[in-house]
Amino acid sequence: MAKQRQQQEYVLEGVTLEQVVDGVEELTFHTNVGRMPARLHPAPAGAPAVVWVGGAGGGLDGPAWGMYPRLAGQLAARHIASLRLHYRLPNHLEDCVVDTLLAVQHLVQQRGYGAVALVGHSFGGAVVISAGALSHDVKAVVAMSSQTYGTDLAPQVSPRPLLLLHGTTDEILPATCSENIYDRAQQPKELILYPNCRHGLDECRDQVDADVVRWLTQQLLLGAAVH
């Protein structure tokens, strides 16, 4: 069975627009192995884009009281698109990595967006590190409160920049997880620790928001201008 699983081909068969609410496209990704709900905060063609994925339970909103839609709105104002993605099979690492790669493929090939960044929380940190290392279209990766399991490809994220964020009082995954990933990753890399902040990053929400928006804007807009 393992061999058959390795030979499984994953295909994005289509994307359905369900409705548009306040400028946000409610989408369903149809693959040959299941469906994925998503929300697209659009930007002009050619603009950079961010894919946001959740933890072991998936979801579309992220940590810190709904960080993903909140920051997607801020980035849209800076002409950076965002796709918030819910996994087909939450907590199945390989499947979630594939889901993320299919989302990147859609944004670049079908929607015409440019450089793509990935952002993931907790389990999703391992997802975006793995997907970022495997896709040439990914230009930057952010892992928040990340686990270490599934981050063997961290050194291969380079030369893409990697940002690691973690609260020092994380009650689920200690900050040493991100420190371990940082030690194994290659430059360019950055680690930010938030004192007295827990796994969900609620206590440091405003600072995390500012750091993530700053970093993504720098990598996707300023970095693109340099190149």
Side-chain angles (χ1 to χ4, degrees):
M1 294 298 292
K3 185 176 181 180
Q4 291 179 355
R5 180 178 175 82
Q6 290 174 2
Q7 294 175 345
Q8 172 73 56
E9 182 179 5
Y10 298 90
V11 179
L12 179 59
E13 298 176 334
V15 178
T16 301
L17 173 61
E18 308 295 347
Q19 61 178 337
V20 179
V21 179
D22 295 331
V24 179
E25 299 180 13
E26 297 187 2
L27 305 175
T28 300
F29 280 63
H30 303 271
T31 79
N32 61 322
V33 285
R35 298 180 179 183
M36 297 179 285
R39 300 290 184 270
L40 178 68
H41 302 246
V50 181
V51 177
W52 308 80
V53 296
L60 295 168
D61 294 339
W65 299 327
M67 172 191 288
Y68 293 175
R70 185 169 64 243
L71 297 195
Q74 293 183 29
L75 292 172
R78 304 183 185 205
H79 303 294
I80 299 175
S82 283
L83 182 74
R84 298 150 47 210
L85 184 71
H86 177 62
Y87 311 122
R88 289 176 297 110
L89 296 170
N91 208 30
H92 291 252
L93 183 63
E94 292 182 6
D95 289 283
C96 295
V97 171
V98 169
D99 293 347
T100 304
L101 292 171
L102 290 175
V104 172
Q105 172 189 310
H106 173 72
L107 290 177
V108 174
Q109 296 183 9
Q110 274 69 53
R111 300 297 296 243
Y113 291 119
V116 177
L118 305 180
V119 182
H121 176 252
S122 191
F123 165 85
V127 172
V128 298
I129 287 171
S130 297
L134 294 171
S135 173
H136 293 297
D137 292 317
V138 173
K139 304 304 180 185
V141 176
V142 181
M144 305 181 294
S145 308
S146 182
Q147 64 184 39
T148 54
Y149 176 79
T151 62
D152 293 346
L153 296 181
Q156 298 178 37
V157 172
S158 177
R160 309 164 188 84
L162 172 64
L163 174 64
L164 297 160
L165 309 175
H166 220 116
T168 61
T169 53
D170 191 320
E171 75 285 9
I172 296 176
L173 295 167
T176 52
C177 291
S178 285
E179 291 173 337
N180 174 276
I181 297 169
Y182 181 84
D183 288 341
R184 290 184 287 112
Q186 303 297 313
Q187 293 289 354
K189 58 184 178 178
E190 182 177 353
L191 171 65
I192 302 177
L193 299 178
Y194 298 95
N196 304 314
C197 195
R198 302 175 71 191
H199 187 68
L201 304 173
D202 296 341
E203 299 83 0
C204 49
R205 178 186 65 174
D206 292 344
Q207 189 58 55
V208 173
D209 281 6
D211 288 337
V212 171
V213 169
R214 168 192 60 80
W215 194 86
L216 289 172
T217 302
Q218 179 181 15
Q219 301 304 329
L220 294 175
L221 294 181
L222 301 183
V226 170
H227 290 86

